Amino acid sequence: MLFSWPHRRVLRFSNAVVPATMPYMSPSPEILQAARTAYASGNLIIFGGAGVSTAAGLPSWLALAKEARDRLQREGKSGEDVAEVNELIERRQLIDALSAAKRLLGDHEFNLMIEVACDDRYIATIPDIAMAIAELAPKLKAIITTNLDCLLERALAGTWPPVCTPTGDLAQRRQYILKLHGTLFERHTWVFTRDQYDKATFGQPQHRAVLEALFRGYQMLFVGFGLADDDFDLTLSATRALAGPNPPVHFALRSEE
């Protein structure tokens, strides 16, 4: 356990906390104290990645891309098409792999695959990491997540509303879950493929303005991200771009592996 906050399962899944821009640096007492201070002041936002979902047995982006590749094989798509997706997977360009898979499978089949794979309704036990995040709720500013499922909503017993389309005043509000990549049963909100990323990043000025206000005004604790995935790279790039020339310190939790 990293923090001495009075909670039973405070993010015990990980054993290191580091600045998000320096993911291989060992934690220092100053960094740990800065994270505690941000939390105590009500200025900490948890940014939850796929690790929160995979802890419950839901697939990672890598697993989704592999499932799409295997489905292409089962449907008898050309070896060239399968090889294209597989090469992108091997290079960990998962956004592009999913983009290619959606084009080859078609919208309906791709979307149905995602819904079935990411549906958390059959999962009876909320994973410890989601419950640990929920136990920090009293002083958290907000939660941001890239996950489609509703595990965090369930961990918070429905008391924090999910937001997929942020309003202009969102940065002034507290206790909500901002779902950057959408929510499972509202397909029009999803951000999986390259064109969806472009639309979310460049096509929605109000969305960008809200994120800019959050990244500039508050400190982020990144939880459950795979450091080698391009989704995490894009997230960090957005954090640096939106935070401006004098950003607050952000943090990331990771294992030593």
Side-chain angles (χ1 to χ4, degrees):
M1 184 182 296
L2 284 173
F3 305 108
S4 59
W5 304 327
H7 302 286
R8 290 183 293 111
R9 294 185 297 273
V10 181
L11 304 177
R12 67 184 182 189
F13 70 99
S14 183
N15 54 9
V17 62
V18 298
T21 53
M22 300 176 63
Y24 299 105
M25 174 179 166
S26 297
S28 69
E30 292 78 14
I31 291 171
L32 295 175
Q33 185 56 47
R36 294 189 185 102
T37 299
Y39 173 72
S41 67
N43 288 325
L44 188 68
I45 295 174
I46 286 186
F47 202 132
V52 179
S53 299
T54 58
L58 294 175
S60 65
W61 278 51
L62 177 60
L64 284 174
K66 288 181 176 180
E67 167 60 23
R69 176 202 61 198
D70 295 345
R71 186 165 297 218
L72 289 170
Q73 289 179 316
R74 291 195 298 270
E75 294 192 356
K77 300 295 184 182
S78 73
E80 184 177 318
D81 288 340
V82 174
E84 174 191 357
V85 174
N86 193 59
E87 181 179 355
L88 291 167
I89 291 172
E90 290 181 348
R91 287 156 51 185
R92 286 300 191 270
Q93 295 177 335
L94 302 181
I95 297 168
D96 293 318
L98 289 166
S99 300
K102 183 178 181 181
R103 170 174 51 83
L104 294 165
L105 288 170
D107 288 356
H108 176 73
E109 187 165 352
F110 178 85
N111 291 340
L112 185 60
M113 181 197 77
I114 296 295
E115 283 187 354
V116 171
C118 298
D119 190 350
D120 64 283
R121 291 178 298 177
Y122 68 91
I123 296 174
T125 303
I126 306 298
D128 279 355
I129 176 53
M131 295 306 299
I133 292 171
E135 289 179 5
L136 299 178
K139 291 186 178 181
L140 279 183
K141 160 72 175 177
I143 297 170
I144 300 176
T145 184
T146 53
N147 300 332
L148 298 186
D149 59 72
C150 297
L151 289 171
L152 288 169
E153 292 97 308
R154 290 170 58 192
L156 287 155
T159 57
W160 283 34
V163 177
C164 295
T165 305
T167 57
D169 66 342
L170 191 68
Q172 284 72 55
R173 291 163 52 191
R174 301 188 66 84
Q175 297 191 336
Y176 55 84
I177 303 172
L178 177 56
K179 305 189 77 169
L180 286 185
H181 288 179
T183 194
L184 188 59
F185 295 111
E186 297 179 28
R187 293 179 179 180
H188 68 280
T189 66
W190 292 4
V191 179
F192 264 112
T193 60
R194 185 63 62 184
D195 62 325
Q196 291 168 339
Y197 263 92
D198 290 344
K199 180 180 178 182
T201 303
F202 304 112
Q204 301 177 15
Q206 181 169 287
H207 193 173
R208 181 182 176 89
V210 168
L211 289 177
E212 194 170 289
L214 291 173
F215 285 129
R216 284 184 177 178
Y218 300 93
Q219 292 174 275
M220 304 282 168
L221 173 59
F222 290 86
V223 176
F225 282 91
L227 299 180
D229 291 346
D230 57 344
D231 178 49
F232 186 65
D233 290 340
L234 283 175
T235 299
L236 286 187
S237 295
T239 302
R240 288 190 291 268
L242 294 171
N246 298 300
V249 174
H250 299 302
F251 310 94
L253 280 164
R254 67 175 179 90
S255 69
E256 290 183 339
E257 300 178 352

